[in-house]
Amino acid sequence: MKFGIMVNEGPYQHQASDTAYQFAKAVLAKGHEVYRVFFYHDGVNNGTRLTVPPQDDRNIVTRWSELAAKHNLDLVVCVAAAQRRGLLDESEAKRHGRDANNIAAGFRISGLGQLVEAGIQADRMVVFGD
Amino acid sequence: MSDAGGVVKKFMFVNRKAPYGTVYALESLEVVLISAAFDQDVSLAFLDDGVYELTKGQSTKGLEMKNFSPTYRALEGYDIEKLYVARESLEERGLSEDDLLVDVQVVSCAEMADLMAEQDVVLSF
């Protein structure tokens, strides 16, 4: 089965991202496909590589990056939500005249159309949020 | 921008939060507007504090936030006309259909559950 996943909350503040990650891992372990993970609202903060959690805690951002690399996942951060919250990739930073970018490996920034398209393409769309 | 390949699914956007205390309502509306470009069968549900999103006479001047409530009136122009509001949520808040700024269908929570069960995709905000 093809799953679409939506993550609506930021890392550490809320369990939604942890649960979504565990769900994605379980789905893949069962041999299903994850069509896309779409990060929205504060969920976009799961995609900043400047996150530095304490060493004895899980690193939510690198965990997503590693899962994406291992399974070739499409991790998409909503551009409008990302801009509001200061998450930029290289081209967005250049476009808006900012001196740095902070997108983590394996994430890409794109539009909300990617969320709707995931809903169309996936057999099940699962939302993790508040 | 549509990449639906002719597939038409039933999408329901579920609005459960008050319009201004958090950004959920505004960003939910942004998804709804984008979805219109994909020619899908879109409906909106308003329940819990989400019913406040549709109330008339919203004033955000003191909050220094944009009043986005007029956008709900524009949804018709995007062919988004199925707006369902939970009767219990209205009643619990002392509201009635007359307090809302758009035409809606007021349904019971049980009917809302049936509508949700009919959907292909339910996105909850």
Side-chain angles (χ1 to χ4, degrees):
Chain A
M1 191 175 271
K2 250 193 287 188
F3 285 89
I5 294 174
M6 183 182 192
V7 180
N8 285 340
E9 298 294 338
Y12 304 102
Q13 167 81 12
H14 199 289
Q15 196 187 316
S17 176
D18 291 273
T19 314
Y21 171 80
Q22 301 297 347
F23 179 79
K25 239 174 53 163
V27 158
L28 293 163
K30 288 276 184 191
H32 299 294
E33 183 190 336
V34 174
Y35 181 75
R36 178 170 296 141
V37 185
F38 192 88
F39 296 87
Y40 197 46
H41 301 306
D42 276 357
V44 301
N45 291 317
N46 287 285
T48 167
R49 62 183 157 79
L50 300 184
T51 301
V52 187
Q55 284 189 355
D56 61 352
D57 199 355
R58 71 230 187 271
N59 189 323
I60 294 176
V61 176
T62 46
R63 214 170 51 171
W64 276 116
S65 293
E66 285 163 10
L67 194 70
K70 191 173 170 193
H71 297 279
N72 197 23
L73 295 186
D74 189 21
L75 307 182
V76 178
V77 174
C78 168
V79 60
Q83 284 177 0
R84 284 193 179 109
R85 293 165 177 85
L87 188 90
L88 301 169
D89 63 11
E90 202 180 338
S91 73
E92 286 295 308
K94 193 180 274 182
R95 196 154 73 92
H96 297 285
R98 295 300 191 265
D99 60 3
N101 75 78
N102 57 337
I103 190 102
F107 289 82
R108 67 185 178 95
I109 293 180
S110 189
L112 278 169
Q114 297 279 299
L115 170 65
V116 179
E117 198 249 351
I120 293 166
Q121 300 296 335
D123 300 309
R124 292 281 187 282
M125 191 74 205
V126 189
V127 182
F128 295 87
D130 198 44
Chain B
M1 74 172 296
S2 168
D3 188 20
V7 179
V8 178
K9 284 193 174 182
K10 288 170 81 76
F11 274 73
M12 177 176 265
F13 298 100
V14 182
N15 300 281
R16 298 171 296 132
K17 307 276 199 337
Y20 302 103
T22 61
V23 80
Y24 296 104
L26 171 64
E27 288 191 333
S28 165
L29 194 53
E30 290 179 356
V31 181
V32 170
L33 294 172
I34 294 289
S35 74
F38 284 79
D39 298 324
Q40 301 295 299
D41 182 358
V42 172
S43 59
L44 274 63
F46 295 87
L47 43 127
D48 301 338
D49 278 350
V51 299
Y52 286 123
E53 295 177 24
L54 297 181
T55 50
K56 286 178 188 164
Q58 296 180 28
S59 170
T60 57
K61 213 173 161 210
L63 296 176
E64 298 186 5
M65 289 183 198
K66 186 176 153 192
N67 178 358
F68 58 89
S69 64
T71 310
Y72 294 105
R73 279 203 293 260
L75 290 176
E76 210 180 351
Y78 290 83
D79 289 328
I80 296 171
E81 291 168 336
K82 283 181 269 190
L83 278 63
Y84 303 106
V85 176
R87 177 176 295 116
E88 289 87 336
S89 299
L90 284 176
E91 286 172 356
E92 282 163 6
R93 288 161 184 80
L95 296 170
S96 75
E97 207 173 332
D98 294 338
D99 297 307
L100 307 182
L101 49 78
V102 280
D103 288 334
V104 300
Q105 282 177 257
V106 177
V107 298
S108 69
C109 284
E111 289 166 324
M112 191 71 93
D114 291 340
L115 287 165
M116 286 182 182
E118 288 172 12
Q119 305 298 316
D120 297 305
V121 180
V122 178
L123 296 180
S124 177
F125 295 94

